Amino acid sequence: MPGIIQLLPDHVANQIAAGEVVQRPASVVKELMENAVDAKASDIKLIIKDAGKTLVQVIDNGVGMNQDDAMLCFERHATSKIRQAEDLFSLHTKGFRGEALASIAAIAHVELRTKQDQQELGIYISVEGSRFIAQEAAVLPKGTSFSVKNLFYNIPARRNFLKSDTVEFKHVVEEFQRIAMAHPAIHFTLIHNGSELYNLPSTNLRQRIVGLFLGKTNEKLVPVQEETDLVQIQGFVSKPAFAKKTRGEQFFFVNDRFIKSGYLHHAVLAAYEGLLPDGAQPSYFLYLQVPPSSIDINIHPTKTEIKFDDEQALYAILRSTIKHSLGQFNVAPVLDFERDANLDTPYHFKDKLAATPTIQLDGNFNPFEFHSPRTSRPSPAKPDTSNWESLYVGLQQDTQALYTSEGHRFENEEISARLFEEPNEETSSSRPYQLQRKYIVSPIKSGIVIIDQHRAHQRILYEQLLTNMTVKQAQSQPLLFPLRLAFSVHELHLLHELLPSLQAIGFVFGEGKQDELVLDALPPQLNPSEVEAVLESILHDLSHGIPASSFSTNDSIAKSIAKSMAVKTGSYLTEQEQEHLVNSLFACKDAAVSPFQKPTFTTISLDEIDKKFAL
C-alpha cells in the first residue's frame, strides 16, 4: 500500500509560502523597498499602476547583484543577511528570511535588472510562476530594478479577495510612509498611474514627517528625546489640541523597523492622561533604539510585531519621557503661578530710578465745620417743615373714593381664566419624555415604546442622505468665509474620488492649495465646527473598504455621516425635539433598525407591565 504523505513540488510550496508573505500589493512594496534599503541605496523610486495589481516597480541605486546572486535570490531560504541561527538575535537589516522574492516570483511575472558598480554589464532575468523565462546581459545603470506584474495571475481566488483600487493603494501608501519615515536620509519618490504623489528629498526627521503629512503637521509636533541604558527614544508627539477621533498617524519604530505594539500604545495614552477628551487619539512618531539582542523580531511573518525582554521598564520610560516633553514645552499643565506680562518692567525703564511722590497737607482743615475752608460756596437753605400736615389734606377722601369705584368692580369680577390650564387628556397621554438622556419613552395604546435616540437619529439621517444622493437636490448652507481644512496627499486623493457623492448631499467645494480642502457651503444639518471630524470619520470608514459600485459608495458615505452627525447619548432633547425625532423615525421606510442593523426601539405591552405588579 503506497504512502499518503508526499513532498510538495517547489512551485506549490512557494505559493503556500506566498500566502503568508504576500497578502496584497502592499506586501510586495514592503519587501522590495526593504531590500532596496538593505542594498545601501540613497535614491529609491516606487512606481505603481492600478494600486499595484498591474505593476509594482522599485528602482534603487544600491550595490546591485552579480549574476550568481541574481539567480540565487529567487530560491527559497536564500539570504545574505544571516549565516546561523544566532544571527537572528543580532539583526541590523530589514529582511533576513529569504522567502520574499521566491514567494513573489511564484504568483506574479517578475523582471529583475541589476548591475554592480564595478561591472561593465548588468543582468536581466524574467521569472513567471517560479519558472525562469529569460536570462541575458544588459546595459544598465548601477543598482537594481524589480518589476512585479499581474499579481496573483495564477491564483484567481486570491486576486478576487483584493479590495478596490482605492483601498489597496491606501495600504501601499502606508507601507511607503513607514519606510520613508524610518530612513529620512534616503530620497524617496512615489508615482501612481503616471502621477507623482511624493517626492521626498534627503532631509532630517522632522522635515520628512512634514513632507509626508503636510498641513499643520509642523505646528503640532512636540519633540521627544531620552537616552538610558535600556533604550534611546527620539521622535515627536502631537499637542493635545490636535488629537483626532480616529487612530491615524501613530508610528513606532524599533531599530528603524516599523512595529505595532498595543502595550507601547497604552504607554503613550497614559502620558496624555487628563489632557485628551474621551475617545481622542494623539499622533506620535517615536523611534526606539535598543540592543538587537534584547528583542525578537522573528515572531510574525510580516515582522511588524516584536518581543521585548523587559517590556515593563520600557513602558515606564516611554510614558515618563512623553509626559516630561509635554510639560517641558508647556503643553501639559504644570505647578506654576500665572503672572501678568503687563506687570513686567519695560526694558527702557530698567535702570531708571523711581521719582518720590510729593504730598500736600492742609493744616487748617476741620472736618467738623459745616463750611469747608477750601470753598466759599454758601450752604443750602433748610426746607420749611412747619406746615407738613397740609401735604396730606384730602388724601384719605381720594383713597376711599378710588376704592369704592374701581376696587369694588375688581372684587365682583368673575375669574374666567386659570394660571395653569387644565391638561388635555389626549395630549398629555401621548407626550414623550427623555430617560437618562439616552432613551425616549412614548406611550402608545398597547403600552409604551422605548426608543434609542442615537440609533433612531442615525436611521433618519441615513435615509435623508440617501434620498439626497439619489435625487441630487440636496440643500446647501453657504458659509460667510470659506472653510479650509488641511489633509495629507493620500487623504486628498481619496476625497477627490468621493467628490460626486459629497456634493450630492450638500457639500460645495472651492479651489485651494495642494495640501488643503476648501469648502464654500455645507449641508444644513452640519455645523462648521464638526466638518473636519465628519470628513475624518468618512476617510477612516471608507479607506478600509470602498465598494466598486457608486450605489455602494453612496451607501457607505451615508452610513458614515449618519453615524457622525447623529445626536449622541447623553444629549438633552427638548419636548419638541423628542416629538420630531419620534415622528421622523416612524416615517422612515425601515424604522425598526439602524443603518448598522441594530434595533432602534422596543415596545412593552400593558400585560407585561401588569405582570410586574401581579401578586
Side-chain angles (χ1 to χ4, degrees), residues 46-75:
L46 173 62
I47 302 174
I48 300 293
K49 288 185 180 179
D50 300 330
K53 297 176 183 178
T54 302
L55 172 66
V56 174
Q57 184 176 7
V58 174
I59 304 173
D60 67 69
N61 62 348
V63 297
M65 293 181 284
N66 60 29
Q67 181 175 353
D68 295 335
D69 289 342
M71 294 291 296
L72 195 59
C73 72
F74 292 103
E75 299 294 331

Side-chain angles (χ1 to χ4, degrees), residues 72-276:
L72 195 59
C73 72
F74 292 103
E75 299 294 331
R76 291 188 66 194
H77 308 304
T79 178
S80 62
K81 315 300 173 57
I82 62 175
R83 290 291 184 268
Q84 53 190 356
E86 287 75 10
D87 294 341
L88 289 173
F89 299 96
S90 182
L91 288 171
H92 300 275
T93 58
K94 302 292 186 180
F96 57 88
R97 290 180 174 175
E99 295 179 351
L101 295 181
S103 301
I104 294 171
I107 55 175
H109 298 163
V110 180
E111 293 182 354
L112 167 63
R113 296 174 174 85
T114 183
K115 174 183 174 295
Q116 294 180 330
D117 191 19
Q118 65 273 17
Q119 300 292 329
E120 295 183 359
L121 295 177
I123 183 172
Y124 165 80
I125 296 176
S126 176
V127 183
E128 295 182 3
S130 297
R131 294 181 302 154
F132 284 85
I133 304 300
Q135 174 186 346
E136 57 188 30
V139 178
L140 300 171
K142 172 196 171 185
T144 302
S145 169
F146 267 102
S147 299
V148 180
K149 304 177 181 178
N150 305 321
L151 192 64
F152 298 125
Y153 80 100
N154 53 355
I155 312 178
R158 290 291 303 275
R159 191 175 182 89
N160 292 335
F161 274 99
L162 295 178
K163 303 294 185 180
S164 64
D165 286 359
T166 305
V167 175
E168 295 300 337
F169 183 63
K170 168 187 172 293
H171 290 287
V172 169
V173 171
E174 287 179 349
E175 294 294 346
F176 177 84
Q177 291 175 344
R178 294 167 182 173
I179 297 176
M181 276 189 289
H183 304 279
I186 300 178
H187 181 194
F188 287 94
T189 307
L190 173 58
I191 299 175
H192 182 225
N193 291 338
S195 300
E196 184 179 270
L197 296 184
Y198 289 101
N199 191 341
L200 308 172
S202 175
T203 182
N204 57 34
L205 183 57
R206 188 185 190 106
Q207 291 301 321
R208 173 55 54 88
I209 296 173
V210 173
L212 283 168
F213 297 100
L214 302 177
K216 299 180 179 179
T217 303
N218 190 40
E219 178 183 347
K220 70 181 182 182
L221 295 180
V222 176
V224 175
Q225 188 167 6
E226 185 63 54
E227 184 173 350
T228 66
D229 295 336
L230 182 65
V231 61
Q232 295 180 11
I233 302 175
Q234 66 172 342
F236 302 91
V237 295
S238 67
K239 299 176 182 178
F242 292 91
K244 299 182 178 181
K245 291 185 178 181
T246 58
R247 292 186 62 173
E249 300 179 8
Q250 296 179 344
F251 299 90
F252 281 116
F253 297 92
V254 176
N255 296 353
D256 295 333
R257 183 191 301 274
F258 171 79
I259 68 160
K260 297 178 182 178
S261 175
Y263 190 70
L264 296 182
H265 173 74
H266 189 274
V268 176
L269 295 183
Y272 279 89
E273 185 178 3
L275 300 177
L276 298 177

Side-chain angles (χ1 to χ4, degrees), residues 260-332:
K260 297 178 182 178
S261 175
Y263 190 70
L264 296 182
H265 173 74
H266 189 274
V268 176
L269 295 183
Y272 279 89
E273 185 178 3
L275 300 177
L276 298 177
D278 292 340
Q281 294 285 336
S283 300
Y284 53 80
F285 312 86
L286 297 173
Y287 298 76
L288 284 66
Q289 294 290 332
V290 299
S293 58
S294 66
I295 58 174
D296 184 3
I297 61 178
N298 194 30
I299 62 173
H300 193 273
T302 60
K303 301 185 287 290
T304 55
E305 297 181 10
I306 289 181
K307 183 179 179 181
F308 297 92
D309 282 351
D310 195 349
E311 284 188 335
Q312 294 182 350
L314 191 61
Y315 180 101
I317 294 173
L318 182 61
R319 181 183 62 180
S320 60
T321 300
I322 296 175
K323 206 172 189 66
H324 174 72
S325 295
L326 293 175
Q328 183 180 5
F329 290 91
N330 295 325
V331 176

